[in-house]
Amino acid sequence: MSKVQAILAQIRPEADFSQSTDFFEEGLLDSFDLVTLVAELDSAYGISIDGMDIVPENFCSVTAIEKLLTGFGVEP
């Protein structure tokens, strides 16, 4: 399990994120969860994700989140 998957599992332990292609469309995450996810990623990776990057497209899948993190220069 990747660090991103572990963070997602802490936020919604009942959800199976591994098979999802869009967490929001499939109801695995909501807007409150997104705020929590951003805070957890900021803390875990020592980054600051700003408002311009906080859009569902950047958080809809593990791949999308890892791509965003890579853009911050961190290893997901």
Side-chain angles (χ1 to χ4, degrees):
M1 178 180 293
S2 74
K3 193 172 188 179
V4 170
Q5 289 171 318
I7 291 169
L8 288 166
Q10 288 177 342
I11 294 169
R12 285 285 181 108
E14 74 284 359
D16 180 9
F17 294 98
S18 64
Q19 301 301 314
S20 177
T21 57
D22 191 325
F23 300 154
F24 299 100
E25 191 173 287
E26 296 173 23
L28 299 177
L29 293 179
D30 59 25
S31 58
F32 180 75
D33 295 326
L34 178 57
V35 172
T36 304
L37 177 57
V38 169
E40 291 294 325
L41 292 170
D42 283 355
S43 176
Y45 290 97
I47 58 175
S48 181
I49 302 170
D50 67 18
M52 296 293 291
D53 291 317
I54 303 175
V55 293
E57 296 80 28
N58 287 337
F59 300 93
C60 65
S61 67
V62 171
T63 302
I65 296 168
E66 289 175 346
K67 181 179 176 185
L68 176 69
L69 293 172
T70 301
F72 279 92
V74 296
E75 181 67 34

